[in-house]
Structure formats: structure tokens, C-alpha cells
Amino acid sequence: MNSFNVDSSFFSGCQALCRVLRSNRSIRRLYLDGNRFNDDCAQSFAELFSQNEHITYINLNKNFFENETTGRLFGQSLGENQSLEEFHCAFNRLTSKACGYLIKSLTTNAR
């Protein structure tokens, strides 16, 4: 299996999803757009980004991420990640300050 798509109606929470995906070794591409994930999920996703060494593509477009803490968490963990090649988070509600934290951290991990 190289791809995994989740509809929010099939999962009760992102914590369970991220817990399973942290130890994943076969899924390379995650399409998680439009699942209504929000800032409450940021810590779980940050742990996934920093602990999974096999995922190369993540699409989190069209969710409900918005605050500065989410930007910091995502930025820190993506800055540490060595396997991810593409990260998509368009059409969320991230503030400009949150985006700044995310971008600043990513500049340290440019390949």
C-alpha cells in the first residue's frame, strides 16, 4: 500500500490515526485534506512528522488549523524530519505569524 486516504466520518480522532501512523513503515503518501482536523490535533501531527521516517508526502489542505502554537509545532517537527519531500497545508486558517514560524523552521531543513 502506497497511499492512504481518511474520511473524518470513519475516525473519531486524529490522535488514534497519528499513533498508528507514527510506527508505519509502508505508507508513503497521506491525503488527509478536508477532514476537519484543528489545532487540538497539532501535537499529534507534530509527533507524527518528527517520528515517522517513511512518509514522503502529506496533504493537510482544507482543515481547520489556525493558531500560532500549531505553526510552531508543525515548524519544529518538519524542521527535524528528513524523509518528507512535500507538505501541503493550503486553505487552512493559519495566521501570518503561524505561517512565519512554520517557514522559519523549514529553512533549516532545505535539501
Side-chain angles (χ1 to χ4, degrees):
M1 177 188 289
N2 291 327
S3 223
F4 187 64
N5 197 345
V6 175
D7 182 329
S8 61
S9 64
F10 295 112
F11 264 98
S12 62
C14 67
Q15 291 83 7
L17 172 66
C18 290
R19 190 175 327 119
V20 169
L21 291 172
R22 278 195 303 261
S23 60
N24 159 69
R25 293 181 185 267
S26 59
I27 296 171
R28 301 284 185 250
R29 299 175 65 85
L30 289 176
Y31 296 88
L32 300 173
D33 54 317
N35 280 286
R36 299 178 182 251
F37 295 131
N38 60 29
D39 295 318
D40 294 337
C41 299
Q43 182 67 44
S44 296
F45 277 112
E47 291 170 7
L48 169 63
F49 301 157
S50 63
Q51 294 176 17
N52 185 292
E53 298 174 356
H54 302 283
I55 295 173
T56 60
Y57 175 99
I58 296 176
N59 182 333
L60 286 173
N61 291 339
K62 300 177 188 171
N63 283 287
F64 297 117
F65 298 112
E66 56 187 306
N67 71 32
E68 292 173 31
T69 302
T70 296
R72 276 193 198 117
L73 288 168
F74 282 11
Q76 278 181 316
S77 59
L78 291 169
E80 297 168 2
N81 185 294
Q82 296 298 305
S83 63
L84 196 61
E85 296 171 4
E86 288 187 53
F87 176 73
H88 299 265
C89 64
F91 304 106
N92 279 282
R93 299 173 181 166
L94 290 168
T95 64
S96 58
K97 199 164 190 174
C99 291
Y101 289 124
L102 197 133
I103 292 167
K104 183 178 179 182
S105 296
L106 288 176
T107 60
T108 64
N109 192 12
R111 288 186 250 175

